[in-house]
């Protein structure tokens, strides 16, 4: 949502969500994988913290924005909507967000660095290669100033595996 919210907003601010972190914890069966060869996409999983962008909307548009977000984010993925508090500067405010649902069949949890990289290397969906999703997402996060050390390590591992394939190796 950070780069393409898809709804009208009044302002955007850098925010921190505590007790959740970005993680490759959701199996993708459509955009970045298939049912037979699932991909791995990011979700907000329990623990740590996550820096990102919060959007302030006109309260009169709340229903339309939520309907749009549900249509966009809840189709076939292991996310659940929730209201949590976020920190914006020195203020704490409620925010509507989506977190990973560990009860959903597409919830992958923490697969670890090597297994995550292997899943990502094999997968491709209607939106393209899973590794392209990872590369562009981590690059965009870092260009916006959001440090993601674990995702950086995963990107590096996928680059190593991509190099092995380019040199005739396999995974």
């Amino acid at each position: 949502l950070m780069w393409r919210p898809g709804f009208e907003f009044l302002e955007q601010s850098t925010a921190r969500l505590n007790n959740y972190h970005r993680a490759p914890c959701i199996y993708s069966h459509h955009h970045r994988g298939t049912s037979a060869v699932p991909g791995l996409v990011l979700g907000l999983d329990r623990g740590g913290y996550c820096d990102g962008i919060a959007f302030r909307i006109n309260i009169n548009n709340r229903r339309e924005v939520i309907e749009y977000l549900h249509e966009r984010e809840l189709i076939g993925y292991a996310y659940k909507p929730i209201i949590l508090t976020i920190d914006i500067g020195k203020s704490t405010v409620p925010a509507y967000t989506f977190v990973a649902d560990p009860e959903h069949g597409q919830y992958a949890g923490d697969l670890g660095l090597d297994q995550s990289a292997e899943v990502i290397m094999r997968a491709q969906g209607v939106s393209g290669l899973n590794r392209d999703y990872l590369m562009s997402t981590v690059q965009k996060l870092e260009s916006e100033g959001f440090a993601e050390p674990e995702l950086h390590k995963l990107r590096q591992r996928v680059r190593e595996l991509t190099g092995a394939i380019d040199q005739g190796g396999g995974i």
Side-chain angles (χ1 to χ4, degrees):
L1 286 176
M2 290 195 314
W3 307 293
R4 190 177 51 89
F7 55 85
E8 188 175 314
F9 58 90
L10 301 173
E11 99 185 84
Q12 66 182 42
S13 303
T14 301
R16 174 166 285 183
L17 172 63
N18 288 304
N19 302 315
Y20 287 88
H21 67 287
R22 269 186 207 93
C25 64
I26 306 289
Y27 286 120
S28 174
H29 293 172
H30 182 72
H31 284 288
R32 297 298 174 168
T34 64
S35 297
V37 182
L40 201 55
V41 296
L42 300 178
L44 293 174
D45 209 357
R46 291 212 174 258
Y49 66 90
C50 176
D51 290 327
I53 303 293
F55 298 94
R56 187 168 64 88
I57 62 167
N58 182 325
I59 194 68
N60 295 327
N61 298 340
R62 182 175 189 253
R63 177 183 289 153
E64 292 82 12
V65 170
I66 288 174
E67 286 174 4
Y68 165 76
L69 290 173
H70 282 207
E71 183 177 317
R72 175 177 162 171
E73 300 296 324
L74 295 180
I75 305 301
Y77 284 104
Y79 304 121
K80 62 180 178 180
I82 189 169
I83 296 175
L84 298 168
T85 58
I86 59 173
D87 298 328
I88 299 177
K90 295 183 180 193
S91 298
T92 300
V93 298
Y96 190 81
T97 192
F98 297 92
V99 298
D101 179 0
E103 302 300 317
H104 194 282
Q106 285 179 246
Y107 176 75
D110 182 0
L111 299 178
L113 180 68
D114 288 331
Q115 188 176 355
S116 294
E118 289 175 16
V119 168
I120 289 168
M121 287 300 296
R122 286 192 295 263
Q124 180 174 349
V126 299
S127 295
L129 293 172
N130 198 179
R131 65 181 179 230
D132 290 345
Y133 160 83
L134 175 71
M135 298 295 180
S136 62
T137 301
V138 175
Q139 178 181 342
K140 183 66 173 172
L141 286 167
E142 290 176 349
S143 74
E144 295 289 332
F146 300 119
E148 295 283 348
E150 295 305 311
L151 294 179
H152 182 84
K153 289 178 194 172
L154 179 58
R155 178 179 64 182
Q156 184 58 37
R157 182 67 183 128
V158 167
R159 281 184 176 154
E160 291 166 3
L161 292 172
T162 300
I165 287 176
D166 291 344
Q167 295 173 8
I171 58 170

